Each structure stands twice: as C-alpha cells, then as structure tokens.
Amino acid sequence: MDDTHQGRITKEGIRIYSEADFAGMRKAGALAARILDDVAELVVPGTTTEALDKFIEDEVEKAGATSATIGYKGYKHASCISVNHVVCHGIPGPKTLKDGDILNIDVTVIVDGWFGDTSRMFVAGKLSRKAERLVQVTHDALFKGIEAVKPGNTFGDIGHAIQAYVEAHRMSVVRDFCGHGLGRVFHAPPNVLHYGRRSTGAVLEEWMFFTIEPMVNLGRPETKVLADDWTAVTRDKSLSAQFEHSVGVTADGVEIFTLSPGNKFHPTYTV
C-alpha cells in the first residue's frame, strides 16, 4: 500500500486515510459487530426493544468504549431499533416484540477515537416467507454494493449494483437515507447513495472509509418521519429491511471492518 497521499482531502471533501488508520477502524468495527452477535440471543418474542438497547449500552460500557449515538443531536439510546415497517432510526421503547417481527439493530461505537458503525436484521421467533425474501434480497444487495468497491470505480457503481439487484426482485430502494463517510467522525463526505448510474459520482480511491447500508422496502420507496423527529417509516406500511457494513477501500478492492465474528450477520444463522 502506498500511503504517500494519506491525510489528503479529495475535491469532493472525502478524506484519504492511512494504513495505521485501518487498524483503528478494525478495532471499532469488531466491537460493534461483536455486540450485535451477542444481542442476537436476546431477540425473542416478549422482549422489549428498550431491553435490547440496555444490553447494548452495558456492553459498550464494559468494553471501555463510547456510544456514538447517546447524546447525538439529543438522541438518548445506544442503538436504533427499527421494527417491521420502520425503515430506520427507530427509538427503543417498552413495546414487546411479537412472533415474526423483523427488526434492524444499528450500533455505532467509538474506540480510541475511531467510529465503528454497523446494522443487521434480526427476527423474533419464526421468519415469515415474505419477510425472509425481503431480508435475503436486502442482505445480498449490500454485498452487490460491496463487490463494486475498488479503486477506479465510482460511488455510482455501488448505487447501481444495489438498485439493479433490488429492482430485479420487484422491491424498492429507499432514497431518503444513504450511507456516509466515517473515521474519526460519525458522518462525513461522501453521501453513499444506494441507487444511481454506473460511472457517475466521485471516484473510489485507496484509503477511503465509508458505510454502505441499503434500506429496501417490499412496497414503494417513499418514507415519512414521525412526530418524534427520528423514526422513519414506509408511507405504504410495507415491510422494510436494512443491512450495513463499514468498509475501507484497499489497493485491489475492499476491507469490511464490521464482519460478524460468529458468522451471525444473517438472521437465519441458527438454521
């Protein structure tokens, strides 16, 4: 790896990091992924999303890390938990999970100043056939996007790969939210759109860090934000799913910082 350009900012405002920075991102990403592995056993019918969030908050504290979301723009929780037709930014609360509920749990931790950001889908009880299809397409769409990450490709290539795959399965990509740059900050350029045209947008370079986090709806793509100013839901009440990884661009491709240590990234891992 050639790190002679480390610390540079591209004309699009995207920071170019260094080899040492990859080590920091690995540590932060590994902790976020491990916490999601550990919470998986607690996702059962009858539990509450606030109980899951409390577990996550305790795990972050036990690891000597910091939650990036507690206090962020007034947010009070260590995770966002989005159930069924909630697209993203669901607020943990006293509502109990029912058999067949699907939920995205999104965790961001800060370890030694580096941000590890990841989310994945879980199911309480038995996954319905319809929900299973949505979850599988969303999971696979994320990896179609990740496959497009290598120097010389563009952010439009990532978005196109995701959009083409999702729409081929007659589902829709949410356009109101996107992935983002990160590193020593929570959110930074670029905006990583999950739709787009090939060969458009900023060119990918070695040493870039960002998230890819497609949200996919069974119905139409439109969303609305509820009165709490956080919770985004599908306008047509259709089910929604999301998976997210933090990645870094390497000389010949991509490194995923938030891989599940226990291979539990997909909710049917126990099957």
Side-chain angles (χ1 to χ4, degrees):
M1 287 187 174
D2 171 17
D3 62 357
T4 54
H5 300 293
Q6 68 184 60
R8 181 169 62 85
I9 308 284
T10 71
K11 68 179 189 295
E12 297 87 4
I14 305 167
R15 182 172 291 280
I16 306 300
Y17 288 92
S18 73
E19 187 159 12
D21 300 334
F22 268 74
M25 290 298 287
R26 285 183 198 116
K27 278 182 71 176
L31 176 61
R34 195 266 295 163
I35 288 171
L36 288 185
D37 274 18
D38 292 347
V39 82
E41 304 306 320
L42 306 180
V43 180
V44 293
T47 196
T48 65
T49 54
E50 67 187 2
L52 299 176
D53 182 71
K54 179 68 169 71
F55 173 84
I56 290 165
E57 184 177 350
D58 290 346
E59 288 299 301
V60 173
E61 194 175 311
K62 273 196 275 187
T66 304
S67 167
T69 52
I70 295 175
Y72 179 76
K73 295 185 177 179
Y75 195 76
K76 297 175 181 173
H77 305 277
S79 62
C80 293
I81 302 181
S82 304
V83 183
N84 293 333
H85 73 289
V86 178
V87 175
C88 61
H89 304 157
I91 300 173
K95 193 174 177 186
T96 57
L97 296 176
K98 301 189 303 295
D99 185 49
D101 280 347
I102 60 169
L103 52 152
N104 174 275
I105 304 181
D106 190 340
V107 170
T108 307
V109 298
I110 310 170
V111 178
D112 299 332
W114 295 99
F115 285 70
D117 187 2
T118 184
S119 81
R120 64 180 86 150
M121 296 302 294
F122 298 83
V123 60
K126 186 164 167 46
L127 200 55
S128 73
R129 193 68 201 100
K130 182 172 70 169
E132 186 174 12
R133 240 186 97 241
L134 170 66
V135 166
Q136 190 65 54
V137 167
T138 309
H139 173 277
D140 294 349
L142 168 63
F143 283 93
K144 293 289 183 187
I146 290 172
E147 283 169 17
V149 178
K150 63 180 178 183
N153 277 3
T154 68
F155 283 95
D157 293 332
I158 298 171
H160 179 269
I162 292 167
Q163 180 183 7
Y165 185 79
V166 169
E167 292 179 354
H169 287 83
R170 302 193 172 186
M171 298 178 195
S172 61
V173 175
V174 171
R175 299 184 176 219
D176 297 334
F177 302 95
C178 61
H180 52 89
L182 82 172
R184 287 193 172 276
V185 291
F186 197 169
H187 297 100
N191 288 336
V192 183
L193 306 181
H194 303 116
Y195 60 92
R197 297 194 317 278
R198 286 194 185 103
S199 304
T200 63
V203 176
L204 296 165
E205 293 185 42
E206 186 182 6
W207 313 108
M208 287 179 173
F209 299 156
F210 49 88
T211 70
I212 306 176
E213 47 184 296
M215 286 145 267
V216 176
N217 297 345
L218 263 182
R220 293 184 55 80
E222 292 85 8
T223 70
K224 65 178 180 180
V225 176
L226 301 185
D228 61 28
D229 287 334
W230 285 104
T231 309
V233 300
T234 55
R235 281 193 173 271
D236 62 5
K237 298 290 193 345
S238 64
L239 286 176
S240 188
Q242 179 188 19
F243 285 87
E244 174 185 15
H245 271 316
S246 294
V247 303
V249 184
T250 63
D252 55 2
V254 62
E255 178 175 342
I256 301 172
F257 299 126
T258 46
L259 287 172
S260 163
N263 198 27
K264 297 180 180 181
F265 193 65
H266 192 287
T268 58
Y269 68 89
T270 54
V271 174

